Amino acid sequence: MAHLIRHKLTNKLTNAAHTVSNKSQAKVSGVFARLGFQAATDDEGLGFAECDDLDYDYRQGMQMDVLQGEEEGGPMEGGGDLEGDSHYQRDGTGRRPSSLKPSGSLEEDKPKITTWEAGWNVTNAIQGMFVLGLPYAILHGGYLGLFLIIFAAVVCCYTGKILIACLYEDNEDGIKVRVRDSYVDIANACCAPRFPALGGHVVNVAQIIELVMTCILYVVVSGNLMYNSFPGFPVSQKAWSVVATVALLPCAFLKNLKAVSKFSLLCTLAHFVINVLVLAYCLSRARDWAWEKVKFYIDVKKFPISIGIIVFSYTSQIFLPSLEGNMQKPSEFHCMMEWTHIAACVLKGLFALVAYLTWADATQEVITDNLPSTIRAVVNIFLVAKALLSYPLPFFAAVEVLEKSLFQDGGRAIFPDCYGPSGQLKSWGLGLRIALVVFTLLMAVFVPHFALLMGLTGSLTGAGLCFLLPSLFHLKLQWRNLMWHHVFFDVAIFVIGGICAISGFIHSIEGLIEAFKYNIHD
């Protein structure tokens, strides 16, 4: 009897303490909630609390059928303990899709990748052929352009980390639980409950713009490289772009990237060899380097375009949530981001500076155009091959986003499914893919300016996806867990990113208008 009375008194005191604590926390966080900064919406918090209650009951040995997916329809296999609480969803709908072995360990449907493989993927994204435009950024920014290459690496590394942090929430035991899976999920969580799908639509539009613009840039650079490789041929840059697009039409028939993925390593190695060749030629002319040309002043009109070029060369945030979710050791994600961006910063800075010192004020938008004609053709042909083999990757990604958003959105799609019952692509679906290839050609033909397009894309979507949205989402979803310096960094990145994005966008548009007005060619 004494034990029962003591137990009841303990429960009452505990409940009273929790009530006081919740009321005081509600008063403090209510101020920030009115400003839009809160860890979660009421609906999300309720769902997560329900999951924690289920977790407590389950660990007490109770039978909780709600933990099982509706499609399983039977008792959960393997009555052993589950690893942590990673199977819970914030909305209380059960565990994340995966299979459970009889021993009680989770077996993921997809094979996991190592930290080195994840780093290789990030390196491919931020060390691509768009590095060829960085010396042009030094032309208009001098030493400030070099600083910006370092600054962009630091900021993009940080925003990549905080973007992944937005995928997680703390459960009742203070353990980080992955409750979201993608950039779109993060955006939707920030806009819930008033506009639960608005954030996802914004991110999807930004992703499509960036992916399609990347495809356009591949066509532009292919035409530019071929035109400058064979100046004696009576073929214009626009005609070379048409030839390149004809070679790209088979991309419309792609169902997966297995055939293309075989060439990814070859493309990367070829690009590495090309960079080495360019650097070797520059080093051979080290005696003539124009150090006096590198100054601290900037071209106020054209430097904002250089900002977009540099930012665009670091964009990788689109696929980071998926990459981190497929890592064998997600805890090593931060370390992987640090060494990949440090390596990218060093290599990009050295490449841009050495190339600019070699050609100074004669630096072209695509640096290989400065090479002597004897080796320019060979290097450019390799670059064209890399561009054409790289085109299917962003093209296929853009097609997937469009199909899932407009044709396969779980019954909410605007248009009927473009795939038949047996999985074959319908004729009108194929027509839409061909139309997308033709659209990239038309843009490359009518706007054949590599640096201006790259700066425009970096300012419009690159800054948004890499600077603005991650910092805003981090403030919104993790506000209660942030230290003052995290808040300062997020706000500073948002403000600086917004200024750079607006100025870069305006000056890129002005540059394009000037190019058309005076018929300026690359």
Side-chain angles (χ1 to χ4, degrees):
M1 176 65 75
H3 175 74
L4 180 61
I5 294 174
R6 185 166 56 252
H7 180 69
K8 289 183 177 180
L9 288 175
T10 303
N11 287 340
K12 289 183 178 181
L13 290 174
T14 302
N15 292 335
H18 285 168
T19 301
V20 174
S21 175
N22 291 338
K23 286 183 178 180
S24 60
Q25 183 178 2
K27 290 180 179 179
V28 175
S29 61
V31 177
F32 299 114
R34 293 186 184 94
L35 297 175
F37 300 113
Q38 57 187 34
T41 61
D42 294 337
D43 293 338
E44 284 183 314
L46 179 60
F48 201 37
E50 291 173 355
C51 290
D52 288 338
D53 292 339
L54 295 180
D55 178 46
Y56 176 79
D57 293 335
Y58 182 79
R59 283 186 273 125
Q60 295 297 320
M62 300 182 65
Q63 297 294 329
M64 304 303 297
D65 294 336
V66 71
L67 286 175
Q68 307 184 33
E70 296 179 358
E71 69 280 359
E72 294 179 3
M76 183 180 293
E77 298 179 0
D81 296 333
L82 296 175
E83 293 183 12
D85 297 310
S86 60
H87 57 289
Y88 289 133
Q89 293 290 329
R90 184 162 194 154
D91 57 3
T93 56
R95 61 183 180 90
R96 296 175 63 187
S98 60
S99 58
L100 195 63
K101 291 181 179 180
S103 61
S105 60
L106 288 174
E107 179 184 11
E108 297 293 338
D109 297 334
K110 296 181 179 180
K112 298 293 187 178
I113 61 175
T114 65
T115 303
W116 284 102
E117 291 171 334
W120 180 258
N121 286 321
V122 173
T123 300
N124 285 339
I126 62 179
Q127 294 276 39
M129 64 183 302
F130 297 118
V131 175
L132 300 175
L134 292 181
Y136 188 76
I138 304 299
L139 173 65
H140 299 300
Y143 286 111
L144 188 57
L146 285 175
F147 169 78
L148 189 60
I149 291 176
I150 301 173
F151 176 77
V154 174
V155 173
C156 288
C157 180
Y158 173 77
T159 55
K161 293 178 181 179
I162 64 175
L163 184 67
I164 297 303
C166 293
L167 298 173
Y168 291 83
E169 296 287 353
D170 292 334
N171 66 359
E172 63 172 5
D173 297 325
I175 300 174
K176 291 291 183 181
V177 182
R178 202 175 200 266
V179 296
R180 305 178 186 95
D181 291 319
S182 66
Y183 210 143
V184 172
D185 292 342
I186 296 173
N188 285 334
C190 288
C191 294
R194 294 184 179 179
F195 307 101
L198 176 62
H201 293 326
V202 171
V203 171
N204 277 335
V205 170
Q207 288 179 342
I208 291 172
I209 292 175
E210 178 149 329
L211 291 169
V212 173
M213 289 298 290
T214 302
C215 294
I216 295 170
L217 285 170
Y218 281 132
V219 179
V220 171
V221 77
S222 297
N224 177 284
L225 292 171
M226 292 301 294
Y227 176 74
N228 288 282
S229 298
F230 305 101
F233 281 29
V235 182
S236 65
Q237 178 178 333
K238 296 179 180 179
W240 281 118
S241 298
V242 174
V243 173
T245 306
V246 171
L248 294 171
L249 281 177
C251 293
F253 298 90
L254 285 176
K255 291 186 177 180
N256 54 65
L257 291 177
K258 288 183 179 180
V260 180
S261 61
K262 297 178 182 178
F263 300 99
S264 63
L265 178 59
L266 181 61
C267 290
T268 304
L269 292 176
H271 184 62
F272 176 77
V273 171
I274 291 168
N275 285 348
V276 170
L277 291 175
V278 174
L279 287 175
Y281 177 81
C282 293
L283 292 174
S284 68
R285 295 183 52 189
R287 297 179 181 177
D288 302 325
W289 282 358
W291 285 99
E292 70 279 0
K293 294 290 185 178
V294 187
K295 299 181 180 180
F296 287 95
Y297 79 91
I298 62 173
D299 187 332
V300 178
K301 186 175 182 180
K302 294 187 177 180
F303 182 67
I305 302 174
S306 302
I307 297 176
I309 293 174
I310 294 172
V311 171
F312 185 75
S313 70
Y314 279 107
T315 53
S316 64
Q317 272 73 359
I318 291 178
F319 66 88
L320 287 183
S322 175
L323 188 70
E324 189 266 351
N326 286 284
M327 290 179 63
Q328 293 177 358
K329 298 179 180 179
S331 59
E332 297 180 354
F333 176 83
H334 283 200
C335 179
M336 180 272 296
M337 286 290 290
E338 289 169 1
W339 63 258
T340 52
H341 282 72
I342 290 174
C345 173
V346 172
L347 294 176
K348 288 181 179 181
L350 288 176
F351 182 86
L353 178 61
V354 169
Y356 175 74
L357 288 174
T358 304
W359 289 287
D361 294 339
T363 301
Q364 299 292 321
E365 293 186 3
V366 182
I367 196 60
T368 55
D369 290 343
N370 288 106
L371 292 172
S373 57
T374 52
I375 62 174
R376 183 196 311 163
V378 177
V379 173
N380 284 355
I381 288 175
F382 276 101
L383 280 173
V384 169
K386 175 176 170 52
L388 296 180
L389 291 172
S390 300
Y391 180 96
L393 298 173
F395 175 81
F396 190 79
V399 167
E400 277 197 322
V401 173
L402 286 171
E403 288 179 349
K404 289 179 180 179
S405 302
L406 302 179
F407 305 98
Q408 302 172 353
D409 192 13
R412 300 187 300 272
I414 301 176
F415 304 103
D417 199 340
C418 52
Y419 289 94
S422 60
Q424 77 277 10
L425 186 64
K426 295 181 180 179
S427 57
W428 64 271
L430 177 62
L432 290 175
R433 291 186 173 203
I434 295 176
L436 183 58
V437 177
V438 174
F439 174 75
T440 61
L441 168 64
L442 294 177
M443 286 292 295
V445 168
F446 288 105
V447 193
H449 301 280
F450 178 75
L452 292 175
L453 279 177
M454 190 173 172
L456 178 64
T457 307
S459 301
L460 182 62
T461 60
L465 293 172
C466 293
F467 291 176
L468 303 181
L469 294 183
S471 57
L472 181 63
F473 293 164
H474 195 226
L475 288 171
K476 174 75 174 180
L477 296 176
Q478 301 291 327
W479 176 262
R480 294 176 182 175
N481 301 322
L482 297 181
M483 303 293 290
W484 69 268
H485 58 277
H486 292 143
V487 176
F488 174 78
F489 289 152
D490 291 347
V491 173
I493 290 172
F494 184 84
V495 172
I496 295 174
I499 295 173
C500 293
I502 294 173
S503 62
F505 178 77
I506 293 174
H507 286 86
S508 295
I509 294 295
E510 290 179 349
L512 288 172
I513 294 174
E514 183 179 349
F516 279 106
K517 183 177 180 180
Y518 297 103
N519 196 24
I520 300 174
H521 298 282
D522 286 351

